[in-house]
Amino acid sequence: SGTSKGAALVNTLLAKIESVELGSPGGQIDGVVEIEQGVLASGTQIAFTADGGWVDVMDWRATGDFQVDSQVSQQEGEVTTKVDVGLTDVVLAGEEGGDPLLAGADLVLEAAAGALDVSGGVEAMSSSLEAISLDLTNAHVADITRFPIPSFADFTLDEGEVLVETHAVLTRQNGGEATIKVHGEEIDASYGEVAIKGNLLLDLNAATDDLSDQRFDFSDSSFKIDMVRIDDGKKTEEDWYFHLDMTEGWMRLKEPGEIVASAELRMKDTRPLIAILGQEKKIFNKLKGILNFKDVEGEADLEIAANRMEIEDFEIDSEGLKLKANLQIKDKQSAGIIYTKFHGIPFAIDMRGEKNDLVLRKPLKWYEEQTVPWAGQP
């Protein structure tokens, strides 16, 4: 029983999980240590508590009230070393400090390995640890305007309550997988002059072979916004919705960030999209009565990167409506080509130049013969 300056023993156990490291300026240690032939033996129990400590994961640091409980047990002749690390009242920020991204969270880290040989001292110890699990709960986004999404010109997150929960497993090969749930209530956002308010739910399944690259596969994930209100002078009904089921995709978190996905989508109607695009392309306002489709279901390839969003091979094929589109919004300018056939009336729109042209002569053939410079580009 006494004081300790840090978490050296725990870091030795975690040494092969390169993306994780623990630290503390010092705290209270209490325990019983059993050693047999230089190996920590069954009956060993160590508890360490500190008013301040941290867990570093990739480029993030979680700080809070720190507690470590470790024990060694033996079952069926095999020795197991377990370590549970808990942080409460957690603040999550970059390793270099700065304003926090998450606050008020609880973090639990669990690890289990075989026997630890301590005969050569802490410096010489090695661990058979293969993976650790990490759970983050009750995390509030401290400032929604700093939420890490790819920067997109003229789109801003303004305010709202956002909660984050994460369960992750990190391996000694520096890979990992995680389930992440982001739930937002009454989120205020804006795109240009259009105000957007609603609830969001992101259900993300992420996996990577290299955490240092921060490139994650998120196939079989979903994104939903519900109870949305769009205000561009004419408000939508409060039960407008937009759902994306991402069949495959990946994202990179390193600045400036990028998201690429193939998705199935559903939305109540297209009027909010027309309101957003109509800020710059007047043709959408002129044709909004024709282009306002209801109960939309379709599929598309999406890419969101720095100041750029691209929607490729967007297709809807339902009763009374056929639509194909390739669209890009870049540096506050939208461009693309659209074909639609609504209740038997076909036409196409060319938005690639300064003027927006309406194509009425063989519009489907025209659309299929066109190219857009961004289609199929990485």
Side-chain angles (χ1 to χ4, degrees):
S1 179
T3 58
S4 174
K5 290 185 178 181
L9 179 62
V10 180
N11 278 322
T12 299
L13 178 65
L14 302 179
K16 293 185 178 179
I17 310 295
E18 297 179 6
S19 52
V20 177
E21 186 172 351
L22 280 66
S24 171
Q28 177 69 27
I29 188 167
D30 296 282
V32 175
V33 178
E34 299 276 354
I35 300 176
E36 293 181 5
Q37 298 180 343
V39 175
L40 285 182
S42 179
T44 296
Q45 293 184 322
I46 302 172
F48 174 77
T49 58
D51 291 337
W54 61 86
V55 176
D56 291 339
V57 182
M58 297 191 297
D59 297 333
W60 299 95
R61 170 163 290 187
T63 57
D65 295 334
F66 195 66
Q67 179 168 338
V68 179
D69 291 300
S70 57
Q71 61 180 358
V72 179
S73 60
Q74 183 169 342
Q75 293 182 350
E76 300 179 357
E78 296 213 354
V79 175
T80 300
T81 306
K82 291 185 177 180
V83 175
D84 294 330
V85 179
L87 268 75
T88 55
D89 199 18
V90 172
V91 171
L92 183 71
E95 285 187 346
E96 303 302 321
D99 295 332
L101 175 65
L102 302 176
D106 297 317
L107 184 146
V108 175
L109 183 152
E110 296 179 339
L116 284 182
D117 187 337
V118 296
S119 59
V122 170
E123 297 287 335
M125 279 200 306
S126 62
S127 169
S128 60
L129 181 68
E130 294 291 335
I132 65 172
S133 68
L134 187 150
D135 289 273
L136 184 71
T137 57
N138 302 321
H140 295 250
V141 174
D143 181 358
I144 192 172
T145 63
R146 296 183 57 250
F147 202 69
I149 59 175
S151 58
F152 186 49
D154 242 19
F155 177 80
T156 62
L157 290 169
D158 301 319
E159 62 180 22
E161 177 74 11
V162 179
L163 298 176
V164 179
E165 293 195 0
T166 299
H167 171 73
V169 176
L170 310 179
T171 70
R172 65 184 297 178
Q173 288 82 21
N174 203 33
E177 56 184 36
T179 58
I180 303 168
K181 291 185 180 295
V182 180
H183 185 209
E185 294 281 350
E186 290 293 297
I187 304 301
D188 281 333
S190 58
Y191 182 77
E193 300 299 320
V194 177
I196 307 165
K197 181 187 286 286
N199 302 336
L200 69 86
L201 178 62
L202 175 63
D203 196 343
L204 193 64
N205 299 308
T208 182
D209 294 326
D210 185 359
L211 283 166
S212 62
D213 187 44
Q214 295 192 29
R215 184 185 188 277
F216 298 89
D217 183 288
F218 63 87
S219 301
D220 299 320
S221 299
S222 66
F223 174 70
K224 300 177 181 178
I225 52 177
D226 291 296
M227 301 298 291
V228 178
R229 302 184 292 284
I230 305 285
D231 190 353
D232 64 333
K234 176 184 176 183
K235 295 182 178 180
T236 58
E237 299 176 27
E238 292 189 6
D239 60 350
W240 189 84
Y241 63 86
F242 176 80
H243 295 175
L244 275 180
D245 290 320
M246 292 167 281
T247 52
E248 59 180 343
W250 60 269
M251 65 179 174
R252 191 186 304 278
L253 293 182
K254 283 186 176 179
E255 290 292 340
E258 188 173 10
I259 297 173
V260 176
S262 295
E264 297 174 353
L265 60 89
R266 298 183 300 279
M267 70 181 84
K268 182 173 182 180
D269 57 59
T270 58
R271 201 198 72 77
L273 298 183
I274 296 170
I276 291 172
L277 292 171
Q279 292 180 100
E280 186 225 336
K281 298 292 186 180
K282 294 181 180 179
I283 193 168
F284 284 98
N285 287 325
K286 293 179 180 178
L287 298 175
K288 61 185 177 182
I290 299 175
L291 293 175
N292 188 12
F293 311 125
K294 297 185 179 297
D295 300 321
V296 175
E297 294 188 13
E299 56 187 30
D301 294 330
L302 309 172
E303 181 172 352
I304 302 173
N307 293 331
R308 185 181 86 250
M309 180 170 68
E310 292 164 5
I311 305 172
E312 296 183 23
D313 299 326
F314 180 24
E315 289 197 17
I316 298 171
D317 189 353
S318 59
E319 185 176 355
L321 169 65
K322 294 184 184 295
L323 183 140
K324 297 174 179 286
N326 272 280
L327 299 171
Q328 182 190 66
I329 302 174
K330 183 178 181 180
D331 297 327
K332 302 182 183 180
Q333 301 292 318
S334 57
I337 53 176
I338 297 173
Y339 164 80
T340 185
K341 186 176 183 180
F342 186 52
H343 291 303
I345 303 173
F347 63 92
I349 304 173
D350 188 352
M351 302 190 304
R352 291 171 297 178
E354 293 184 3
K355 293 178 61 179
N356 304 307
D357 296 324
L358 194 63
V359 180
L360 299 175
R361 181 178 175 80
K362 297 183 178 180
L364 179 57
K365 183 175 184 294
W366 174 88
Y367 178 90
E368 292 175 343
E369 291 175 347
Q370 303 309 302
T371 59
V372 286
W374 60 85
Q377 298 299 310

